Amino acid sequence: MATVTNGQSRGPGRGPGEANKALAAALKESGCSYASLALRVNELGRRQGTDTNYDKASVARWLQGQQPRGTTPELIAAVLSERLGRAVTASELGFLADQQRPVVGRALVYREDVADTLHTLAELGSTDISRRSLLGAVPFVAGALTHPQREWLLWLVENQDTPQLAPVPDQGPVEQVHAMIGMFDQMDNHYGGGGVRTSIVHYLSTEVVPMLQRRGAAPHQQRQLFAAAARLAAMAGWSSYDAGEYGLAQRYMTQGLRLCAEGRDRVLGGQILAGMSHLATSLGRPDEGVALARAGVATAKNAGSPLGLMRLYAMAARGHAALGRATEAQEALRAAEEQLEASRGAGQESAWVRFLDHHYLQAEAAVCFRDLGLAAQAERTASASVRANADRRRRQAISRSVLATAHLQQNRLDEAIGTATQALETLSGVHSERSIQALRDFRRRLEPRRHEPLVKEFERRSRPVLGAVA
């Protein structure tokens, strides 16, 4: 059993005072200083819900053999993965491996053997559902995005004969899976990902994965089942994202992309890459977001799905806008509009993208305009999105938050606070961390005017939903 010293324990296989050589080697290779490692661990922790206050002395203790508490080993691994440009796990850095870490590491990898993928998903889902550990606190690892993207693109090059659109099944077990997907979609749209996430994970890991492990179905039915499982894994990722469990979101999406190759569905593959792009941009890596969107465009450009391409160009625009690249963002939005116009309607599209329409593009464009500081355009498009999404409370809450920021950018504080208050009311009964983060983004922008009575009152009213102001 590990002994605890000042809130930290000795690493595996090392006696008291024995140095952590693996961590020292990784630090040297990355060129990361003690102070910069501590600072980045604190930043990443706060971004993902863990409040830490490490400094260079903390890093020195880790190198001496002390084990950080909680999920800090995963945060350290995430930071060094970013610096090294490849995924490294906490155990590879010499930290104590507890019951959850092996599957957490494996789930970041796009594996060649699909049997390994199925085993990983089953174990990840089981651990997730039982909550045997703080699995949801595992951090998003930007450095681990490159490997699945590369492996997927290699598969794409080697499989040029992939069918353009996977047919929608009309009978058998695949039909049942599609029916469940439809039900989960409805629940997600109405209640948010936090309200349906566990049900998706349970169904995927205990019902669908065992179907695939048994095999025995005809090849075309097996491919359809793999595609449906990939869609469920992507949904598990999106709902985890919506619940604020970003590390889980990345892992489910990565495994979903591997299943998608077995399903040979390029439209769905592009949509999973769109989800990974959205996640990366939202978590402060818009460069990765743009790269993932570009990989998605390469995936879907000849797959016969203009709506799928529309979403991918919108994701590229979001990344460019977050990077302050106005010209590139506008070009991507124009490309998205062209694809929307090229679509012959939802009925002629893959089942995976039929929910996409011009209202979706309006909402994404509003976010881009907000990030570029184009307040009038952001106001116009966000207002249209609010009107169009009266029955989608999550989308309406996000668009109202963007609209509130557009008012604030035009120095219309009364309107900004009023719109943000409506967004706050819309969040009632919706379990969506993405919606909450959008409103927190607005609240952060109020910082220079915190002394004003209107702002003080909004902060008071919003505290039960958004938490205390940092």
Side-chain angles (χ1 to χ4, degrees), residues 199-413:
S199 298
I200 296 171
V201 172
H202 185 271
Y203 181 66
L204 170 65
S205 59
T206 65
E207 298 289 337
V208 179
V209 166
M211 284 187 209
L212 290 166
Q213 289 173 324
R214 285 194 295 270
R215 296 190 176 270
H220 74 283
Q221 292 178 335
Q222 193 77 359
R223 284 197 297 272
Q224 290 179 350
L225 189 57
F226 266 112
R231 171 66 171 133
L232 277 168
M235 291 179 74
W238 264 108
S239 58
S240 295
Y241 180 11
D242 209 27
E245 303 200 31
Y246 308 120
L248 280 176
Q250 179 183 12
R251 286 155 176 82
Y252 282 120
M253 289 181 185
T254 297
Q255 299 309 303
L257 193 63
R258 176 62 186 91
L259 294 181
C260 196
E262 294 298 309
R264 303 176 69 81
D265 189 327
R266 288 188 287 141
V267 175
L268 180 57
Q271 294 309 291
I272 295 173
L273 288 164
M276 296 171 79
S277 171
H278 195 296
L279 181 66
T281 296
S282 296
L283 292 181
R285 290 302 303 266
D287 54 336
E288 294 289 352
V290 171
L292 286 158
R294 291 178 63 192
V297 169
T299 296
K301 64 181 179 181
N302 295 316
S305 176
L307 288 182
L309 280 169
M310 179 266 283
R311 184 186 186 196
L312 285 157
Y313 281 119
M315 290 301 99
R318 281 188 70 137
H320 286 308
L323 289 164
R325 300 172 180 166
T327 300
E328 291 88 341
Q330 297 276 16
E331 287 175 354
L333 286 175
R334 279 194 294 271
E337 290 170 358
E338 289 170 2
Q339 292 300 323
L340 179 63
E341 292 173 1
S343 177
R344 291 178 294 173
Q348 301 299 312
E349 295 271 358
S350 164
W352 311 128
V353 298
R354 289 176 186 164
F355 70 97
L356 297 168
D357 55 20
H358 70 284
H359 298 307
Y360 172 88
L361 183 55
Q362 279 178 331
E364 296 302 334
V367 174
C368 295
F369 295 142
R370 177 201 67 188
D371 290 347
L372 291 170
L374 302 174
Q377 289 172 272
E379 179 182 3
R380 184 168 59 253
T381 49
S383 295
S385 178
V386 168
R387 290 192 298 271
N389 289 286
D391 59 340
R392 292 188 174 185
R393 289 188 291 169
R394 175 177 54 203
R395 172 56 63 187
Q396 190 173 99
I398 293 172
S399 292
R400 284 191 189 279
S401 298
V402 174
L403 179 58
T405 298
H407 291 321
L408 188 64
Q409 288 171 329
Q410 296 173 84
N411 202 32
R412 290 150 54 188
L413 182 62

Side-chain angles (χ1 to χ4, degrees), residues 43-105:
E43 289 175 348
L44 191 59
R46 281 192 290 272
R47 183 183 291 273
Q48 301 186 34
T50 303
D51 191 15
T52 61
N53 190 31
Y54 295 117
D55 55 22
K56 61 183 181 181
S58 307
V59 179
R61 289 194 292 271
W62 301 338
L63 288 164
Q64 292 164 4
Q66 289 183 332
Q67 170 80 16
R69 290 181 295 181
T71 60
T72 299
E74 279 76 24
L75 291 169
I76 296 168
V79 172
L80 290 176
S81 293
E82 290 177 353
R83 293 296 184 96
L84 293 169
R86 66 175 191 277
V88 293
T89 66
S91 58
E92 289 171 341
L93 294 175
F95 293 119
L96 184 68
D98 67 24
Q99 196 172 23
Q100 59 126 341
R101 285 176 187 147
V103 72
V104 165

